[in-house]
Amino acid sequence: MRRDDDLSTWLSEIPAERRLPINAKGGLSTSCAGLVQQFLNDNFSRKLSLAEMAAVCELSPYHFARGFSKTFGVSPHQYVLTLRLDLAEKLLADSRMSITDIADLSGFSSQSHLTTMMKKYRNATPQQVRARQVRSRGSE
Protein backbone atom coordinates (compact mmCIF):
# COMPACT_ATOMS: atom_id res chain seq x y z
CA MET A 1 0.00 0.00 0.00
CA ARG A 2 1.32 3.43 -0.91
CA ARG A 3 0.76 6.60 1.09
CA ASP A 4 -1.54 8.03 -1.56
CA ASP A 5 -3.85 5.00 -1.57
CA ASP A 6 -7.37 5.54 -0.27
CA LEU A 7 -6.80 5.65 3.50
CA SER A 8 -10.46 6.43 4.14
CA THR A 9 -11.16 2.76 3.40
CA TRP A 10 -8.70 1.75 6.11
CA LEU A 11 -10.11 4.32 8.51
CA SER A 12 -13.69 3.14 8.00
CA GLU A 13 -12.67 -0.32 9.20
CA ILE A 14 -11.44 0.93 12.60
CA PRO A 15 -13.50 -0.75 15.33
CA ALA A 16 -16.03 1.55 16.99
CA GLU A 17 -14.35 1.23 20.38
CA ARG A 18 -11.13 2.63 18.88
CA ARG A 19 -12.76 5.60 17.15
CA LEU A 20 -12.35 8.83 19.02
CA PRO A 21 -15.59 10.55 20.05
CA ILE A 22 -16.36 14.09 19.02
CA ASN A 23 -17.53 16.25 21.93
CA ALA A 24 -17.60 19.81 20.62
CA LYS A 25 -19.03 21.42 23.79
CA GLY A 26 -16.64 24.24 24.64
CA GLY A 27 -14.13 23.14 22.02
CA LEU A 28 -13.78 23.58 18.29
CA SER A 29 -16.79 24.52 16.20
CA THR A 30 -18.51 21.63 14.46
CA SER A 31 -17.31 22.80 11.05
CA CYS A 32 -13.73 23.27 12.26
CA ALA A 33 -13.78 19.84 13.96
CA GLY A 34 -14.93 18.26 10.70
CA LEU A 35 -12.28 20.07 8.68
CA VAL A 36 -9.43 19.16 11.00
CA GLN A 37 -10.61 15.58 11.32
CA GLN A 38 -10.66 15.21 7.52
CA PHE A 39 -7.25 16.91 7.27
CA LEU A 40 -5.75 14.52 9.82
CA ASN A 41 -7.35 11.47 8.21
CA ASP A 42 -5.78 12.51 4.90
CA ASN A 43 -2.36 13.49 6.26
CA PHE A 44 -1.62 11.53 9.46
CA SER A 45 1.07 9.39 7.87
CA ARG A 46 3.36 12.36 7.25
CA LYS A 47 5.09 14.70 9.67
CA LEU A 48 2.60 17.28 10.95
CA SER A 49 3.16 20.36 13.06
CA LEU A 50 0.68 21.81 15.51
CA ALA A 51 0.84 25.09 13.56
CA GLU A 52 -0.15 23.29 10.35
CA MET A 53 -3.12 21.64 12.05
CA ALA A 54 -4.15 24.95 13.64
CA ALA A 55 -4.02 26.69 10.26
CA VAL A 56 -6.84 24.43 9.04
CA CYS A 57 -9.11 26.14 11.58
CA GLU A 58 -7.40 29.53 11.32
CA LEU A 59 -6.50 29.44 15.03
CA SER A 60 -3.27 29.94 16.94
CA PRO A 61 -1.56 26.67 17.90
CA TYR A 62 -2.32 27.35 21.58
CA HIS A 63 -6.06 27.90 21.06
CA PHE A 64 -6.26 25.05 18.57
CA ALA A 65 -4.62 22.56 20.98
CA ARG A 66 -6.98 23.54 23.81
CA GLY A 67 -10.07 23.39 21.60
CA PHE A 68 -8.99 20.13 19.98
CA SER A 69 -8.50 18.46 23.35
CA LYS A 70 -11.93 19.61 24.54
CA THR A 71 -13.58 18.47 21.32
CA PHE A 72 -11.91 15.09 20.82
CA GLY A 73 -10.95 14.22 24.38
CA VAL A 74 -7.28 13.73 23.49
CA SER A 75 -4.41 15.94 22.37
CA PRO A 76 -3.77 16.38 18.62
CA HIS A 77 -0.61 14.29 19.00
CA GLN A 78 -2.48 11.42 20.67
CA TYR A 79 -5.19 11.56 17.98
CA VAL A 80 -2.60 11.29 15.20
CA LEU A 81 -0.80 8.51 17.05
CA THR A 82 -4.06 6.54 17.31
CA LEU A 83 -4.63 6.88 13.56
CA ARG A 84 -1.07 5.70 12.88
CA LEU A 85 -1.35 2.71 15.20
CA ASP A 86 -4.71 1.69 13.71
CA LEU A 87 -3.24 1.77 10.20
CA ALA A 88 -0.16 -0.16 11.32
CA GLU A 89 -2.37 -2.88 12.82
CA LYS A 90 -4.30 -3.17 9.56
CA LEU A 91 -1.09 -3.37 7.54
CA LEU A 92 0.38 -6.02 9.85
CA ALA A 93 -2.30 -8.39 8.61
CA ASP A 94 -0.43 -8.45 5.28
CA SER A 95 2.51 -10.66 6.20
CA ARG A 96 4.29 -9.84 2.93
CA MET A 97 5.08 -6.33 4.16
CA SER A 98 8.06 -5.82 6.43
CA ILE A 99 7.52 -4.11 9.76
CA THR A 100 9.98 -1.43 8.65
CA ASP A 101 7.82 -0.66 5.59
CA ILE A 102 4.69 -0.64 7.74
CA ALA A 103 6.32 1.80 10.16
CA ASP A 104 7.22 4.09 7.26
CA LEU A 105 3.78 3.94 5.64
CA SER A 106 2.07 4.57 8.98
CA GLY A 107 4.11 7.71 9.67
CA PHE A 108 6.52 6.42 12.32
CA SER A 109 10.13 7.53 12.17
CA SER A 110 11.47 3.97 12.43
CA GLN A 111 10.56 0.38 13.18
CA SER A 112 11.78 0.96 16.72
CA HIS A 113 9.42 3.93 17.14
CA LEU A 114 6.47 1.84 15.92
CA THR A 115 7.41 -1.00 18.27
CA THR A 116 7.77 1.32 21.26
CA MET A 117 4.44 3.06 20.65
CA MET A 118 2.56 -0.14 19.88
CA LYS A 119 3.89 -1.81 23.01
CA LYS A 120 3.05 1.25 25.12
CA TYR A 121 -0.49 1.87 23.78
CA ARG A 122 -1.60 -1.54 22.49
CA ASN A 123 0.34 -3.78 24.92
CA ALA A 124 1.84 -5.85 22.10
CA THR A 125 4.76 -5.63 19.71
CA PRO A 126 4.11 -5.49 15.96
CA GLN A 127 5.27 -9.12 15.69
CA GLN A 128 2.77 -10.17 18.37
CA VAL A 129 -0.02 -8.28 16.62
CA ARG A 130 0.88 -9.94 13.32
CA ALA A 131 0.97 -13.41 14.91
CA ARG A 132 -2.42 -12.79 16.55
CA GLN A 133 -3.95 -11.75 13.22
CA VAL A 134 -2.48 -14.76 11.40
CA ARG A 135 -3.93 -17.08 14.08
CA SER A 136 -7.36 -15.41 13.87
CA ARG A 137 -7.38 -15.73 10.05
CA GLY A 138 -6.43 -19.41 10.35
CA SER A 139 -9.36 -20.14 12.66
CA GLU A 140 -11.93 -18.62 10.29
Side-chain angles (χ1 to χ4, degrees):
M1 179 173 171
R2 295 183 333 255
R3 284 185 188 211
D4 57 346
D5 286 341
D6 184 18
L7 292 177
S8 61
T9 303
W10 290 99
L11 293 170
S12 67
E13 296 172 4
I14 296 171
E17 64 273 7
R18 288 258 170 92
R19 289 192 201 132
L20 298 171
I22 294 179
N23 178 9
K25 188 175 183 178
L28 301 175
S29 68
T30 305
S31 61
C32 180
L35 285 172
V36 77
Q37 190 171 36
Q38 185 61 50
F39 173 78
L40 293 176
N41 288 345
D42 293 343
N43 295 286
F44 71 88
S45 64
R46 67 178 180 81
K47 188 173 183 174
L48 294 168
S49 69
L50 188 59
E52 186 179 4
M53 291 182 239
V56 172
C57 295
E58 299 179 355
L59 294 171
S60 72
Y62 174 79
H63 286 99
F64 172 77
R66 286 185 56 208
F68 189 98
S69 294
K70 283 185 180 181
T71 302
F72 293 96
V74 294
S75 69
H77 171 45
Q78 189 64 46
Y79 186 91
V80 170
L81 181 60
T82 299
L83 293 175
R84 289 176 178 174
L85 287 170
D86 288 340
L87 177 60
E89 282 188 7
K90 286 284 187 191
L91 294 175
L92 284 165
D94 182 357
S95 60
R96 295 170 296 172
M97 292 183 73
S98 74
I99 294 174
T100 303
D101 289 341
I102 291 170
D104 182 55
L105 287 171
S106 301
F108 291 96
S109 59
S110 66
Q111 177 181 341
S112 175
H113 186 216
L114 167 63
T115 301
T116 301
M117 293 296 104
M118 190 163 278
K119 194 167 186 173
K120 181 176 181 177
Y121 293 103
R122 303 290 165 92
N123 299 317
T125 65
Q127 194 61 42
Q128 290 168 333
V129 170
R130 177 173 274 168
R132 201 178 319 141
Q133 290 176 347
V134 167
R135 279 194 306 270
S136 69
R137 277 198 318 245
S139 64
E140 291 177 359

